[in-house]
Structures are given as C-alpha cells and as structure tokens.
Amino acid sequence: MKVKITVNGMLYNKHIPNDMMLLEFLRKYGYVSVKRGCDTSNCGLCTVWVEGKPVLSCSYPAARADGKQITTLEGVKEEAASFGRYMTAQGAEQCGYCSPGFIMAVLAMRRELTDPTEEEISQYLAGNLCRCSGYAGQTRALRAWLKDKPWEKEGQA
Amino acid sequence: MKLKFVNQPIPKLDGAALTGGKGVYTEDMVPRDCLVVQVLRSPHAFARIKSIRKDAASRVPGISCILTWEDVPQIRYTLAGQSYPEPSPYDRYILERVVRYVGDPVAIVAGRDKDCVAKAMGMIQVKYDLLNPVLDFEQALDHPSVIHPEEDYFHHYDIGGNPSRNLVASGSDAHGDVESALEACDVVVEGTYYTKANAQAMMETFRTYTYLDHNRRLNVVSSTQVPFHCRRTIAHALGLPKGMVRVVKPRIGGGFGAKQTLVSELFPALVTLRTGKPAKIVYTRKESFQASNSRHQMRVHVKVGAMQDGTIKAVDMHALSNAGAYGEHASTTIGLVGHKSIPLYARQADFRFSWDVVYTNTMAAGAFRGYGATQGCFAMESAINELAVKLNMDPAQLRLKNLPQVGETMPAYYNEPLTSCALPQCIRRGMELIGWQEKYPCVKVDDHRVRGIGMAVTMQGSGISAVDTGAVTIKLNDDGYYTLMIGATDMGTGCDTILAQMAAEILDCPMERITVDGVDTDHSPFDTGSYASSTTYVTGTAVVKACTQLKEQIAAEGARRLNIHPERAEFDGDKVYDRTHPETSITLCKLAQSLVAGVGPQWLTATASHCSPTSPPPFMAGFAEVEVDLETGETKVVDYVGVVDCGTVVNKNLARVQAEGGIAQGIGMALLEDINYDPKGQMVNSTFMQYKIPCRTDLPEIRVDFEESYEPNGPFGAKSIGEVVINTPSPAIAHAVYNATGVRVHSLPITAEKILMGRED
C-alpha cells in the first residue's frame, strides 16, 4: 500500500507491505535509534512519538501512521542529548540499548505531566525496561534533570 | 599517590553515542544486500529426524540456501567461550540428526528477505521419531533415555562425566574429616535449596552478521563477550584454519554471561561460506529465551555445624546441576557453588563439597553473572541464617565471628591467600544503613502487613586464577595522543572507560588524549574476554604494565633527543625534561612527531600481558527489607542496601550502577524469574509477558555503598565488581521473609503462594 509518513519533519511517500510495523519502516529509512527488544510490546525500547504521543513502534502498523507526524530520537537530538548528559553523569546508560526508547518516554512525560511526583514518574516509565541499571541511576538522572529544568534555559536562549 | 582519574566518577567514553541513539550496535552495521538467516527449530524435546524434505521450500523465490544435518561439517565442538582446552565437553554439531530440546536447530534457511525465509520455513517437511525425553533433572542420572550416546563425544580432560549415565561432570573437594567434625558440633542445621533456571534477558538479543573479505576470509561481526574464543570455535566447528576467521565486536547491548557462549555466530557463518554472500541473523526475543542458554538450575544440599559459641566447625555441601541438553559451562559453574560460598565459613571448619551435573532435554544452561556462586550463596547463606536462629545469635554477629582474616590461606578457595578484605566493615555499614538495630527481625505495619529484614554476605573472584589473560598494546601516535588497544570486551559495563582511566593515570594526561580500540581479532591484543569478573583486575594490570613501559620509553627517547643521560630524564605527561635543568625539555607533541617520521624514527608502542596466579575475592554484604501481606502472601522489597568491597573503586559511578543493576537482577531471581517447561518440554515463559524481569515499580530505590580495601595484586588496588553484586538478594530476601512471617522458603522464586502455603503448614 501507499503511505505518506512524516518522520522528524521529512515526508516519506512510500509503498509498504500491508503488515509492516512502524519500527521496521523507521529502521529501513535509517532511524537506527529505534531498537527492538521484544516481540510482545513489553520492553519500551522502540518508543517513538506519533503526533507527539509516545507509542511502541513494534506494534504500531506503519499503515496507521499514514498522514501522521512521527518523531524519533533523531528528531529531538538536542533535547535528548541534554537529558543524555544527565544519564551519562550517573553512568546510568550502561549498555545503552534501552536508552533511546527510555529518553523518548522521558521527554514525552515532561510534556505531558507538570511537576510529577516520584510515583507518577515511576508509573509513567514502568513500561521501559532496563536490565543493566536497576533503574536507580536513571532515577538520579531524572531528579537532577527535573530540578535543573534545562529545557527552560534552552528555550530562553 | 593522589589519583587524578582512577577512583573518579568519569562518564563512559561511549555515553553520548549510546544515549544519542547512534548506529553502533551489530544490527546497525549490516550491509544492505545481506541474506536473512533463520533457523527452523525442533518442536520436540527429544527426537531423531527420520526425514527432511526441503525441495519445495528451496524453490521459494528469493531462497538462497537451506542446510540440514546432511550439509554441515560433522565436527564436535562446544559453544562455551572458555580458554582452550575448554573444560566443557564437545557434544554439539551445528545441525544433528538427533534433536535434544525444544528449540534445537533442524535447518538453516537463508534468503533475500524475512518473508521468503518465513515462507520456506513453513514448507520444510520434517518427520521425527520421538524419543522419551528427560525433563526432571533430579531423575536424569541413569535415566533409561541417554541424551548423548554418540561415539564421537569428546572432552579434553576428565571432568568426572559419564554420558551413558547422563552425567556431564562430577567431583568432590574436601579438607579434614567432615563427618567427625559434624558429630562433634553442638548444633547442626541441614537443608535442601532449589534455584531455578533464569534468563539473562539482556536488552539486545543475540545477533551476528558475516561476510567474506577481499582475501576470502570469513569476517564475523557479533554481539559477543568473547571475540577470541569465538574466532577459535568458529574456525574449529567449520573446519577452517584459524587464520581464515576474523571476529569484530561492536557495541553490545548487554550480555550478563549469555554472550560468553556462542549462540548466533555459526548459522550466518556457514551460509556465507556456502553462498559467498553476506548473511545476518537476529534472534527474536522468543528465540533468545528458548534457544540460547540460561542460569543452571540447581539443587543444593547443605549441612553446617557449629559450637555453641558460634564457631563453625563443619560444612558439607552437595550440588546437583541441570546442564540441559548440552554441557557448556557445566563443570565450571558447579565448582563456584561451593568454592565461592564455603570459604567464608571454613576458617576453622572441616568441609566437603561434592557435585554432579546432569544432562536433560531442556535448553542448555550457560554462563549467567554469578556463575554458580549465586546458587551456592542462596543455599549457604540461608543455612547460616538458620544456624543463627538455632544458636540464638544475631546473624550478623555469627558471620563476623567466622569470616576469614587477611593474611590467612583459604583452604576452601583453592588454598589462595586472602590479601584484602573489608567485609566486616561492609556488614557494619550495611547494618547501619538498613537500620538493623531498630528493625531486626521485624516490624508490624498494621493488622495484616509485616516488614522483616534479612541479610546475606558473599564473595566472588577476580578472573580465573592462572587462566584468564589480558594483553594490552598502547601506542604513542604523532601529535602525542595514545591508542589503547584492548581485547577485553566492553558490553555496556564501561571497561573501555575504566581501562582508559588507568592509562591516563599512568601517562599523566587528560582522558581525551587516549583513544580506546577494541575488539577486532585481526589487530586487538589477545584477551580471554569479559567474563569471570576479570577485566578490571586482569586486563587492568596489563594496562598498568604496558603504560608504565611506554612511559619509560618516552623518557628514554626524550633523553636521546635532549642529549642527556636517561636517568636524568623525567616525563611529566606533557614534556620530557632534564631533572637537573628543567628548562632543557622537549614537548611530547614534538617528540612524538619526530619519533613517527624523519631521521632515526622509533615509533613507540608497548605491549604487556597479564595473567594472575590468584583471584582475589571482592565481597559484599546485602540487606533486604520486605513488606509481606500476611493475608495474600504478596511480598515487596521496600529497601535494599548493598555494601561492596571491590578494592579501590576505579569509577564510582560505573561501579555503583553495576552494583545496583546486579542487585536488581538478584531481586528478579529471588521473587519473579523462573523458566518453566510444560510436560512435553516446551518452555512456557519465553516472552517478557510471561517471564517477568523487574520493572521500575517492582524495585525499591536500591542503595549502594563502598568499603574500599586495597588489593596489593590489583591495578591501583582494585578487585572486580561485575558479578559479586548479584548474589545476596535471594538469601537476604528469603531471610527477611522468614523474619516477617516465620516461613522458610527453600526454593526460588519466593512467591506469594509459597509464603501462604508455608503459613498454613
């Protein structure tokens, strides 16, 4: 089938197989930040945004993205790098394989929730698995980032 | 000496690339025209292939080749990533006429895309003669079904195995007369403990791609912890000269031991050899669960005897381990069960440790962080906690009374001397952090909820004594920057970074001047690989040696350029100068330039290898606080404290995160993770939906602290960190559950059901 999918502002006018998932579509066109960690929508590694809302691209048919705006980590590079520095300051990225999906969820959470409690943060991010870190380092990175609010300073600049 | 880089929380060198989603992992680098390889797997736990028809499947458009048992080299090998000669038996073919577990490969299918491969897979007709599978590891020994009757079964040396009895390995180790010692004890406790098979569940599943280069050599790019073992085993299994194989390791999305066994490498390699085309295989999560390797399931029987004052006088342990269908890491993991748990209490005790490892028709086990020590720790530490109750002693005091002392030889630890240990400090600090005095043994929250606390201690090793070897080359390049070439494999743990920290410390230069290169078996120095908690301690020492040599060479070459006696030359990281006339100097930049080209060049490199005769143990004390709902049995870990002695902490952040992650995996093992099979031998929990690893809401905010000892044989006083951190949660949580409920759970995982049923008894 034919679809028009916009990824990070770039329009892709493509023929795709009907059963293609958004994850495969994105990786095919070079968005390698999008990782697959499972086959059952349980790990969160493939998190991207559709119209600004986080989805699991492994189970989101590319056909459904027709006419929609998709954002991957590559599309929010600077903001991701800014939060990424909080992660690396803790060593919390470890193998890094879950980092892009996790960061996409974190940046979406920041847009969605104002001054979230620790409980709300934990619930929001519960679907993003990490096998290396035990999450404590991620939590320290999140706290420091939410306290510093670098996006406000970056916004002013 | 004041340290500038070692002992500092320096961010990982690859951190920006990893968090920036760069294409640095195996699958990101696959060439476009790569064949897709998939494996048709056995649906039966034990069967003989009667016939395979692949003619129709071969005609599917796009299919490049379909290989079955008739098409592959008949060479026995082991997939275990261990130093040659491997202790694991050679009990595999790439494809064999007999299949020994659900998931054993039956056919390798390669084609231009996944759709044609999937179609062909569905069209291969296999007829099986079913055999009676051995599924219960406690029934495996001398079972009527023999899993490995083959005549060409091979092992390099005797590990006490007898395949006709389904016995992979057996043995014993003793000191003194344990029977008499037990009889003389005032108090004896005895128990049988069960630990389950667990999946390593690293986020990046197994994957490999292969191609032939311009010299027709087989190039293998793989997510592996053991590139050099991979090269050797691939060459052997495919019948190639070793010089014809090159293995490259890019960034790795976690391993935890799973990738210390070759899993995905041989399938695309064989396809590339047969077709001449690049080929890739990417395991699905289900395949990763069902057809790779796991922690060894075990039954550990322990008997501990003590005098009334708490002095432990006897330890008797027997372990039975389930190797699954193939014997990778079977004889070695079982050794650690006793060798890493008994030494903590064998100071004044006679002991005996005996073991059997059996084959069953389940997925082969392999290496998983902790490697047997974790299973032994659950049994031994649980027994010690039970002993404390029987002696009416505080469990922390009981341990403090018996721990080995620095300077002593440890008879239960290969007679190695204890050269550093801060475990008593770890215990005291942990007690403080968890609030032992106020909370032990339990605190009632309300009418149906109780909080209990528990503890355990553990040790691991730092590499395999006299086996694990790391080599390092450091080069001085023009412009005065260095390349640190290593064969150790960073799998996310940050060894590239901590080894660079050591190099920067010795060479007295900023981290930015050191480029770390690894691993490519064509140019990296040999390293046995990253496993057995070896990299910091073993490869780290090689870094210290190589950098020290290079530093001396730089000073000597500087002296030559300055026309001064070498003994007067001093290198401060930026320049070589005359100690007596500091104004006489040459900058490193200038020196390096003159060394690489021009008259009298002398390109400076230094290579050093290291292999340690001993494996100094790191230690950890773990403390758990759990809340149990007495009506439902629901248990939640509300606090976990781990205090670690890994010697000098080379990188505070990376060591902390490793410890937190190890504890999280340990909590998963204690409460959630449990590979199960149905009565026909089909794994029932092969997705993250059924095999639950801890998510954020399952865990407390794990708290980690360090009590640093100084290990005289380690680089900058360092020991290992990678594995010791996973061991304590199971026994500490079991102890906390007992203190909250009075129920002793002897089999993992500790579920609500087991607690409730225990309360009813």
Side-chain angles (χ1 to χ4, degrees), chain A residues 27-28 33 35 37 39 73 89-90 93-97 102-103 122 125 128 131-135 138 140 143, chain B residues 12 15 19-21 25 28 199-201 207 253-254 285-286 492 653 657 660-661 665 673 694-697 701:
Chain A
R27 281 198 69 92
K28 183 172 178 184
S33 74
K35 308 289 190 216
D39 330 308
L73 191 86
Q90 295 296 336
E93 77 281 15
Q94 281 276 297
C95 85
Y97 210 68
F102 172 66
I103 293 173
S122 187
L125 300 172
N128 289 88
R131 189 59 156 170
C132 294
S133 75
Y135 308 105
Q138 292 183 353
R140 286 192 294 276
R143 274 190 201 130
Chain B
K12 241 150 60 81
T19 55
Y25 301 91
D28 304 332
Q200 298 89 343
R207 58 214 38 215
R285 178 58 60 183
K286 190 170 180 169
N653 278 358
V657 173
E660 291 163 348
Q665 290 177 358
E673 300 180 33
C695 75
R696 204 172 301 272
T697 50
E701 193 168 333

Side-chain angles (χ1 to χ4, degrees), chain A residues 17 19-20 24 27-43 45 73-74 77 80-81 83-85 87-100 102-103 106 118-119 121-140 142-143, chain B residues 9-12 14-16 18-25 27-28 32 114-115 198-205 207 251-254 256 283-287 368-369 491-494 653-654 656-658 660-662 664-665 668 673 686-689 691 693-697 699-702:
Chain A
D19 61 352
M20 187 183 225
E24 296 160 52
R27 281 198 69 92
K28 183 172 178 184
Y29 293 106
Y31 299 98
V32 292
S33 74
V34 192
K35 308 289 190 216
R36 179 192 288 280
C38 70
D39 330 308
T40 48
S41 324
N42 291 112
C43 74
L45 265 64
L73 191 86
E74 288 88 347
K77 220 182 253 172
F83 178 69
R85 283 189 289 275
M87 292 269 286
T88 55
Q90 295 296 336
E93 77 281 15
Q94 281 276 297
C95 85
Y97 210 68
C98 72
S99 295
F102 172 66
I103 293 173
V106 166
E118 298 248 325
E119 175 68 22
I121 294 171
S122 187
Q123 289 297 340
Y124 194 96
L125 300 172
N128 289 88
L129 296 180
C130 169
R131 189 59 156 170
C132 294
S133 75
Y135 308 105
Q138 292 183 353
T139 302
R140 286 192 294 276
L142 271 166
R143 274 190 201 130
Chain B
I10 290 171
K12 241 150 60 81
D14 55 2
L18 301 189
T19 55
K22 300 289 182 234
V24 293
Y25 301 91
E27 198 192 1
D28 304 332
R32 271 197 176 266
K114 71 175 174 51
D115 294 333
N198 300 145
Q200 298 89 343
M202 62 283 153
M203 284 296 128
E204 182 200 36
T205 60
R207 58 214 38 215
R251 295 291 96 188
I252 299 180
F256 315 116
Y283 273 40
T284 62
R285 178 58 60 183
K286 190 170 180 169
E287 226 173 359
F368 185 172
R369 199 179 202 172
M491 55 180 138
T493 47
N653 278 358
L654 299 183
R656 179 178 304 281
V657 173
Q658 284 241 6
E660 291 163 348
Q665 290 177 358
E673 300 180 33
S686 50
T687 70
F688 280 137
M689 211 147 356
Y691 184 93
I693 65 169
C695 75
R696 204 172 301 272
T697 50
L699 295 172
E701 193 168 333
I702 295 160

Side-chain angles (χ1 to χ4, degrees), chain B residues 312-335:
Chain B
I312 294 170
K313 300 294 282 183
V315 181
D316 193 9
M317 179 184 277
H318 177 268
L320 175 72
S321 170
N322 181 5
Y326 300 96
E328 280 97 15
H329 302 278
S331 66
T332 39
T333 42
I334 194 81

Side-chain angles (χ1 to χ4, degrees), chain B residues 728-749:
Chain B
T728 61
S730 290
I733 290 168
H735 188 210
V737 165
Y738 168 75
N739 286 328
T741 64
V743 177
R744 288 200 191 283
V745 181
H746 279 197
S747 70
L748 297 178

Side-chain angles (χ1 to χ4, degrees), chain A residues 5 8 23 34 36 44 46 49 53 55 57 71 85 91 100 119-120 136 140 142 149 151 156:
Chain A
I5 299 175
N8 304 331
L23 168 61
V34 192
R36 179 192 288 280
C46 62
W49 301 347
K53 293 277 182 269
V55 301
S57 61
T71 311
R85 283 189 289 275
E119 175 68 22
E120 284 168 330
R140 286 192 294 276
L142 271 166
K149 300 191 193 306
W151 58 88
Q156 284 162 8

Side-chain angles (χ1 to χ4, degrees), chain B residues 231-304:
Chain B
R231 178 179 65 178
R232 188 190 68 242
T233 300
I234 291 167
H236 168 75
L238 296 174
L240 298 172
K242 288 186 188 69
M244 292 303 283
V245 181
R246 171 191 181 199
V247 176
V248 174
K249 172 220 74 109
R251 295 291 96 188
I252 299 180
F256 315 116
K259 296 171 183 172
Q260 195 201 335
T261 298
L262 284 76
V263 173
S264 52
E265 285 83 358
L266 287 165
F267 305 121
L270 195 56
V271 167
T272 291
L273 284 181
R274 291 295 158 85
T275 62
K277 293 177 184 166
K280 70 162 176 179
I281 190 165
V282 176
Y283 273 40
T284 62
R285 178 58 60 183
K286 190 170 180 169
E287 226 173 359
S288 262
F289 272 113
Q290 287 189 336
S292 59
N293 61 82
S294 68
R295 187 183 292 290
H296 287 79
Q297 176 187 23
M298 289 195 195
R299 179 191 75 198
V300 185
H301 183 84
V302 195
K303 227 169 165 178
V304 185

Side-chain angles (χ1 to χ4, degrees), chain B residues 332-348:
Chain B
T332 39
T333 42
I334 194 81
L336 269 63
V337 173
H339 294 141
K340 301 269 154 88
S341 63
I342 300 172
L344 292 167
Y345 304 104
R347 188 173 177 231
Q348 303 167 76

